[in-house]
Amino acid sequence: MSLHTADPYGAQAHARAQGGTEVEAMPTVPASQARYLPEGVSPADMVWAETLAGGGYAIKQINRGTRLRLTDLYGDGCLSLLLFNAERPVERLNIADTLKIQWNGYLGAGRFLLSDMGRVMMSIVEDTAGTHDAFCGASNAGTNARKYGDGSNFGPYPSARDRFAIAVAKYGLGRKDIHPCLNLFKGVTIEADGAVTPMIGPFDVNRSVTLRAEMDLILVMANAPHVLDPRPDYTVTSLRAVAWRGPVTSENDPIRTGTPEALRAFLNVEDYYAR
């Protein structure tokens, strides 16, 4: 039967006809019903399960102690990540300090993501990808228009920055709140002469990164081609996000105690929650 959505009854029938529809790129609600549970994780502990298509975005609030696993399902995803303190979103990820405090330009397992107030926001506890970028930031409408001929947010080639703009608006934030992001699964190398060499892939399928939330957070994600992707076609494949409850970081955690700078940043978190 043909459903005419121009009138309310047709629109209602069309909407209800979608009940039970499943596609790859969608959230699983409730998350306990997800089919791809991490090993050893109880369905009751799941708090988020969602697949982001190419050009997609997501925003989610998670609690301190939550584990988040991101998986590049087909080897050509590029996840751009923003982080905000869920209680006070004026505090957010500071990429420059994240690198400076760790004396390292390349992030992977054992590293952490620092806020602009000196607190650890997330720790990277596992990483099978090894290609990430903390230098180049997000693509934007201008870069996409030059590369693909159209950079509009609702066209076929949306940018990471414009995906961010839609997502943060859901939490009362705006473009002024879009800070420099971390790009996961696509990397860059900074050469001795300062040249930037992109590592775009495609890579092996199902590479993953597992992070631990050290604060109550708002996560904002965009899955769009890396700003330095040299390919003429808009190329980006699906990513999966799953999150589950976990304990708060212990005092003897190796990331927490790994360096004096790390310990100080974790102590700043613990002082914040000591209220």
Side-chain angles (χ1 to χ4, degrees):
M1 180 179 66
S2 176
L3 300 177
H4 301 284
T5 58
D7 69 86
Y9 294 111
Q12 181 189 66
H14 178 269
R16 291 181 175 176
Q18 309 308 306
T21 299
E22 292 188 23
V23 296
E24 180 185 61
M26 63 182 292
T28 299
V29 180
S32 60
Q33 299 299 312
R35 298 173 181 170
Y36 34 84
L37 297 180
E39 184 177 358
V41 175
S42 164
D45 285 330
M46 290 287 293
V47 296
W48 187 22
E50 183 168 355
T51 299
L52 282 69
Y57 70 92
I59 186 166
K60 186 71 173 181
Q61 184 170 333
I62 62 172
N63 293 332
R64 186 182 181 203
T66 299
R67 274 58 172 174
L68 169 68
R69 179 166 297 161
L70 303 166
T71 303
D72 183 5
L73 296 175
Y74 305 110
D76 228 338
C78 179
L79 189 138
S80 299
L81 177 68
L82 305 179
L83 299 176
F84 298 88
N85 177 341
E87 181 182 49
R88 298 177 64 250
V90 68
E91 180 178 9
R92 66 276 310 266
L93 174 65
N94 187 313
I95 287 290
D97 283 357
T98 292
L99 302 185
K100 179 177 68 177
I101 293 302
Q102 297 179 90
W103 310 98
N104 195 305
Y106 303 101
L107 299 176
R111 303 293 180 181
F112 55 84
L113 307 181
L114 197 72
S115 82
D116 54 8
M117 296 187 184
R119 291 187 273 260
V120 181
M121 305 191 85
M122 301 194 88
S123 297
I124 304 173
V125 295
E126 295 177 1
D127 178 18
T128 67
T131 50
H132 310 302
D133 161 37
F135 295 99
C136 296
S139 59
N140 57 61
T143 60
N144 280 21
R146 288 191 294 273
K147 187 180 297 184
Y148 309 118
D150 181 356
S152 61
N153 205 2
F154 299 101
Y157 314 117
S159 70
R161 184 172 176 82
D162 282 346
R163 300 284 91 178
F164 285 155
I166 296 175
V168 299
K170 299 177 186 294
Y171 279 71
L173 304 172
R175 287 186 177 270
K176 64 179 176 58
D177 299 298
I178 300 174
H179 52 272
C181 67
L182 172 65
N183 295 314
L184 298 174
F185 301 114
K186 302 294 187 185
V188 298
T189 299
I190 307 301
E191 308 296 349
D193 63 357
V196 179
T197 301
M199 296 181 289
I200 300 301
F203 299 99
D204 293 338
V205 302
N206 290 323
R207 299 184 309 152
S208 67
V209 181
T210 304
L211 303 102
R212 179 180 61 212
E214 308 295 355
M215 302 181 69
D216 296 343
L217 297 173
I218 298 170
L219 309 173
V220 186
M221 302 176 180
N223 184 23
H226 190 275
V227 67
L228 294 185
D229 192 327
R231 293 173 289 187
D233 296 327
Y234 188 90
T235 305
V236 60
T237 55
S238 297
L239 296 161
R240 177 178 294 153
V242 295
W244 62 97
R245 296 179 184 87
V248 171
T249 301
S250 66
E251 289 187 356
N252 61 355
D253 180 83
I255 299 178
R256 180 183 183 274
T257 61
T259 66
E261 295 86 359
L263 180 58
R264 179 68 179 185
F266 274 91
L267 288 172
N268 288 342
V269 172
E270 292 154 14
D271 180 67
Y272 179 80
Y273 285 103
R275 299 165 300 160

